[in-house]
Amino acid sequence: MSREIVVLTDVKLITCIVQRGEADKVVKAAQAAGAQGATIYYARGIGIQDRLGVLGITVNAEKEVVKMIVSSDQADRIFERVYLEAGLDIPGHGFMHMTTLEKAATYVPHDVVEKLSQAAEES
Amino acid sequence: MSKRIRYGDFISTVSVQQQRLSYNQLTPQPQYDAQGQEVPYQQTKLKLHPREIGRMVKPYVESRLMEQVKTVLPLVLYLLLFQWLILRQDIMTPWLITAGIAAVLLGLMLFIEGLQRGLMPFGEELGSTLPRKLRLPGVLSVAFLLGIGVTLAEPAIGALKTAGSLVSQAKAPLLYALLNQWSGVLVAIVGVGVGLAAVIATLRFVRGWNMKPLIYLTVTPVLGLSLYMHTDPLLRAVLGLAWDSGAVTTGPVTVPLVLALGVGVAAATSKKNEPSGFGIVTLASIFPILGVLLLGLFVAFVHPDSLQAVSTVSTHYAPEPSTRDQFQEAIVMGLRAIVPLIIFLFIVMKLVLHRDLPNPKVLTYGLIVAVLGMIIFNIGLTFGLSELGGQTGSSIPKVLQNGSVGGYLLILVFAWLLGFGATLAEPALHAMGMTVENLTQGAFKRYGLIYAVSFGVAFGIMLGVMKLLFHLPLIYFILPGYAVALTLTFFAHEEYVNIAWDSAGVTTGPVTVPLVLALGLGLGGEVGALDGFGILALASIGPIISVLSVGLWISWQVRRSHDKHEQEVAMHQEHTQGA
């Protein structure tokens, strides 16, 4: 039996950069909107502190980068939820962006694949 | 062969209005000067609306304040409830105490923030550059001086001095002398003790010494000296002070700063790859005890005249300092605690290492905030926490008058719960719990450590209160306690030994120490004890024993499960061979 790769299309990548300790909050909001999971890593950000002057002290230079792969239908909704939850409309609270991915692959439950491909054949 | 399917089946409803804006419109066009050279772009400062400033500052302050509220408030509530429900007594000067507690919260918040922004980066920078620029003796001498500096900065060390106010000169002349005209020397001796501890701990990091022999070598002479001094009624009075000062020194300033230095040094010099950073707290608890004991001997034998000299002067001394004096003293103490330390760090950085400050603006902010926080914390301590603790402490003995056995039991239960709650809330313990969980690869769970330590401290404080109530000599508790601790140390694994002995020092932080001291003094004053010391000392033995026991239990379980496994394997083999 040959192994086959199920390739997912219509995939978007949402990346959100927030201050250290805020990532879990962001992921929770995204999951509530249908995101399956997230990858978080630590980083250091430079730029906004200098421009804020004295208020720069309220911004932590240590960041967390949250990467979430979502379906294109969900993407806008999750994008908004995350924006609001992370409070990105506050100066220095972070930055986010979304890109289209060409394709992605991971574990997809066997029965789901069967069902969807059958539906595709019938139509 | 690949199939193409949809990732999800969701219909999105867009609830927030999006406005499209080209980023090109925000970024600047390149500018050229007369020669056609490109002028580097200068970022402009942002102008913020006051509401935006508020939205930035609010989460910053909120998260940091809540951290302290979680630590302090349960304790305060516990004391209040106890006073209202069980003692049925109103709080005296309630508004002053409320304001004081608010000041404690604010002060702690500012101080911790300042510590993280200013003092700690300073210490880490020093620790990592020192070994590169200096030889080992140079590093050790800086460690020594830093040890002295941080001790003076420790907020709890001031509490020790106030604790001396109860001591009557007639009953314990030596203790009185140490706490009054020798108090400067006393603090200096404690500082030297911590300095020496920093030196030896750094050496330990570099050379990879084991903790066990160090413990035997340091604890045994201290115990022996204590036993000797117990035989002399004059010297006996010093024991409580000495053992308490060991517990007091290792607080929120000392531990992170000296640790930052030690870890930096160890990372740069040691051959072992994982610098655990343990051990420094233990030594910093033991050496000051030895120092204070020796100072007691020195004063008693070399300057016996100072014991009498006071008696004539002290009779004229005004008993109650005015509120304003207390206020001023709190401010002066706050300044004196941190400013010399900063100057010392600065001198080492500039003159010895020839390095500029990293991130000078943030550092300056951190240092200013630390000093401010210290002052506010001191004020709050004097008028809020210490006052409340003292009131509860002094009204507790009234319980004794109505019921004999029940009253005593009530007090002991109260002391136990206070110790348990206070330790559970101590922030340093939570940080240590996480380190320990990583270090033991999950064998010693974080909450396992936190509960073990809290249990130990609770029993320690209970025993300490018992000592005060029944006028028992401290040595009756310390000698067996440390004998048990040393025996357990002998059998336990090296890593658990490190954790257990360090947890003793970590637990007695900025909230527990003044509260317990005030309580002890209030209680001691009512029952007519010589002094209110000794509770903290016993609170340090408790966790050593409890954590070591848990450690032994864990390794026993691990061994048992291994044995079981081996037995099963053996049986299985026999079975297959038989067949």
Side-chain angles (χ1 to χ4, degrees):
Chain A
M1 186 192 137
S2 66
R3 294 172 68 188
E4 65 170 13
I5 300 177
V6 179
V7 174
L8 304 169
T9 56
D10 294 323
V11 194
K12 302 258 184 189
L13 168 68
I14 296 178
T15 308
C16 184
I17 305 160
V18 290
Q19 291 179 68
R20 180 85 40 103
E22 302 277 294
D24 288 358
K25 202 170 76 179
V26 167
V27 175
K28 266 211 181 103
Q31 278 177 326
Q36 303 294 301
T39 306
I40 300 160
Y41 51 86
Y42 290 158
R44 210 163 57 84
I46 291 173
I48 187 76
Q49 265 118 331
D50 302 333
R51 299 192 63 186
L52 284 171
V54 185
L55 279 172
I57 51 147
T58 63
V59 179
N60 192 353
E62 312 272 304
K63 311 289 186 202
E64 279 171 336
V65 180
V66 184
K67 284 198 160 188
M68 289 169 284
I69 301 195
V70 300
S71 68
S72 58
D73 283 350
Q74 298 175 312
D76 271 335
R77 221 154 57 101
I78 293 176
F79 193 82
E80 283 165 14
R81 293 278 179 90
V82 167
Y83 180 87
L84 296 175
E85 183 65 35
L88 297 190
D89 49 347
I90 304 169
H93 271 218
F95 187 86
M96 70 187 298
H97 56 86
M98 181 160 87
T99 50
T100 307
L101 298 182
E102 196 186 325
K103 58 183 172 185
T106 180
Y107 163 75
V108 182
H110 193 67
D111 51 323
V112 176
V113 179
E114 291 277 293
K115 214 166 77 187
L116 286 175
S117 54
Q118 263 175 18
E121 273 166 28
E122 279 164 20
S123 64
Chain B
M1 180 64 207
S2 60
K3 278 179 195 159
R4 296 166 69 93
I5 56 161
R6 295 188 71 104
Y7 180 53
D9 268 326
F10 294 95
I11 307 298
S12 62
T13 46
V14 176
S15 56
V16 175
Q17 279 206 317
Q18 293 186 0
Q19 190 182 3
R20 291 195 170 254
L21 185 69
S22 168
Y23 196 23
N24 286 327
Q25 288 177 294
L26 297 176
T27 48
Q29 297 293 320
Q31 303 284 319
Y32 299 97
D33 59 10
Q35 279 84 40
Q37 296 274 329
E38 196 181 320
V39 183
Y41 168 64
Q42 289 278 320
Q43 283 193 330
T44 48
K45 287 262 184 290
L46 287 174
K47 286 196 193 73
L48 293 173
H49 194 269
R51 199 171 55 216
E52 286 179 317
I53 295 176
R55 291 186 67 191
M56 284 182 71
V57 173
K58 193 180 151 236
Y60 172 72
V61 174
E62 209 174 56
S63 62
R64 283 157 181 80
L65 191 63
M66 280 317 287
E67 231 168 78
Q68 305 310 325
V69 169
K70 269 187 229 156
T71 313
V72 179
L73 223 54
L75 268 179
V76 171
L77 277 180
Y78 174 62
L79 281 181
L80 287 182
L81 282 180
F82 189 81
Q83 197 149 13
W84 280 328
L85 296 182
I86 297 183
L87 301 177
R88 296 182 187 284
Q89 191 174 42
D90 281 334
I91 311 288
M92 285 174 274
T93 59
W95 293 113
L96 196 61
I97 288 181
T98 313
I101 286 164
V104 165
L105 290 175
L106 188 69
L108 264 182
M109 177 189 95
L110 289 175
F111 179 68
I112 301 274
E113 176 70 4
L115 198 69
Q116 282 169 354
R117 290 292 172 104
L119 284 173
M120 292 263 285
F122 224 152
E124 269 160 39
E125 183 74 15
L126 267 182
S128 58
T129 44
L130 262 183
R132 275 184 273 146
K133 297 256 176 161
L134 289 178
R135 288 166 172 281
L136 192 58
V139 176
L140 292 181
S141 41
V142 172
F144 179 67
L145 289 173
L146 188 69
I148 298 181
V150 288
T151 309
L152 300 181
E154 199 58 64
I157 200 98
L160 201 64
K161 284 193 197 166
T162 47
S165 55
L166 180 74
V167 175
S168 98
Q169 207 236 342
K171 278 190 202 158
L174 182 59
L175 187 59
Y176 186 84
L178 281 183
L179 285 168
N180 289 285
Q181 73 267 52
W182 289 85
S183 70
V185 185
L186 180 75
V187 174
I189 284 277
V190 172
V192 170
V194 176
L196 273 180
V199 168
I200 292 188
T202 312
L203 266 178
R204 178 179 114 83
F205 287 146
V206 176
R207 298 274 151 84
W209 289 342
N210 272 354
M211 199 65 213
K212 277 190 190 182
L214 272 181
I215 289 177
Y216 299 141
L217 281 176
T218 47
V219 174
T220 325
V222 175
L223 277 178
L225 193 60
S226 303
L227 201 60
Y228 163 71
M229 288 175 79
H230 176 70
T231 54
D232 187 313
L234 181 72
L235 295 173
R236 190 185 299 166
V238 186
L239 285 180
L241 171 70
W243 285 87
D244 268 14
S245 52
V248 162
T249 49
T250 47
V253 188
T254 316
V255 175
L257 247 186
V258 177
L259 217 58
L261 182 82
V263 169
V265 170
T269 56
S270 103
K271 282 130 210 133
K272 279 186 189 170
N273 273 330
E274 29 180 347
S276 63
F278 284 106
I280 206 159
V281 178
T282 310
L283 295 173
S285 311
I286 299 173
F287 280 34
I289 303 176
L290 191 63
V292 175
L293 288 177
L294 289 176
L295 180 69
L297 280 178
F298 174 76
V299 174
F301 289 119
V302 184
H303 290 277
D305 49 316
S306 68
L307 302 182
Q308 275 99 48
V310 208
S311 55
T312 49
V313 186
S314 63
T315 44
H316 302 292
Y317 190 71
E320 275 288 307
S322 72
T323 311
R324 211 178 130 186
D325 284 348
Q326 279 181 313
F327 208 77
Q328 276 175 345
E329 205 191 303
I331 293 174
V332 169
M333 256 170 56
L335 282 175
R336 204 173 49 194
I338 302 188
V339 174
L341 184 66
I342 294 170
I343 294 172
F344 168 71
L345 287 174
F346 192 74
I347 288 174
V348 172
M349 204 71 168
K350 275 280 181 200
L351 298 184
V352 183
L353 300 176
H354 304 289
R355 290 270 293 217
D356 282 328
L357 300 180
N359 225 339
K361 276 186 202 159
V362 177
L363 215 65
T364 316
Y365 161 76
L367 296 178
I368 291 174
V369 166
V371 173
L372 260 182
M374 193 69 172
I375 292 173
I376 297 174
F377 176 74
N378 262 331
I379 294 172
L381 203 61
T382 315
F383 295 107
L385 265 188
S386 292
E387 180 69 28
L388 184 61
Q391 278 187 23
T392 313
S394 59
S395 48
I396 278 181
K398 287 176 191 137
V399 178
L400 290 182
Q401 289 160 4
N402 19 346
S404 49
V405 183
Y408 281 113
L409 265 180
L410 186 69
I411 291 179
L412 293 181
V413 168
F414 167 78
W416 195 93
L417 281 174
L418 181 75
F420 194 74
T423 315
L424 219 51
E426 205 64 61
L429 186 59
H430 285 253
M432 190 177 172
M434 270 187 277
T435 319
V436 166
E437 194 173 309
N438 288 336
L439 203 71
T440 58
Q441 274 125 28
F444 211 130
K445 290 272 179 295
R446 172 154 48 123
Y447 281 97
L449 180 85
I450 291 172
Y451 281 115
V453 171
S454 301
F455 255 88
V457 172
F459 276 110
I461 287 181
M462 196 177 83
L463 284 177
V465 170
M466 215 194 266
K467 175 219 165 231
L468 282 183
L469 281 180
F470 302 109
H471 303 280
L472 296 169
L474 186 63
I475 197 87
Y476 286 6
F477 295 93
I478 281 184
L479 207 58
Y482 273 96
V484 171
L486 285 175
T487 318
L488 288 174
T489 303
F490 181 75
F491 290 107
H493 275 287
E494 174 75 19
E495 57 187 25
Y496 292 126
V497 169
N498 277 318
I499 298 164
W501 284 80
D502 267 22
S503 57
V506 168
T507 50
T508 41
V511 180
T512 322
V513 169
L515 202 59
V516 168
L517 268 182
L519 204 71
L521 286 173
L523 190 63
E526 288 298 316
V527 300
L530 272 185
D531 58 77
F533 293 120
I535 301 185
L536 286 175
L538 293 171
S540 301
I541 310 181
I544 300 181
I545 296 177
S546 62
V547 174
L548 275 176
S549 312
V550 174
L552 274 176
W553 188 69
I554 289 173
S555 20
W556 178 73
Q557 270 207 326
V558 169
R559 205 178 317 131
R560 200 182 59 163
S561 73
H562 274 284
D563 286 351
K564 217 173 171 182
H565 183 70
E566 270 166 26
Q567 256 177 13
E568 273 169 18
V569 170
M571 268 171 66
H572 187 70
Q573 275 173 347
E574 264 174 35
H575 198 72
T576 44
Q577 273 168 3

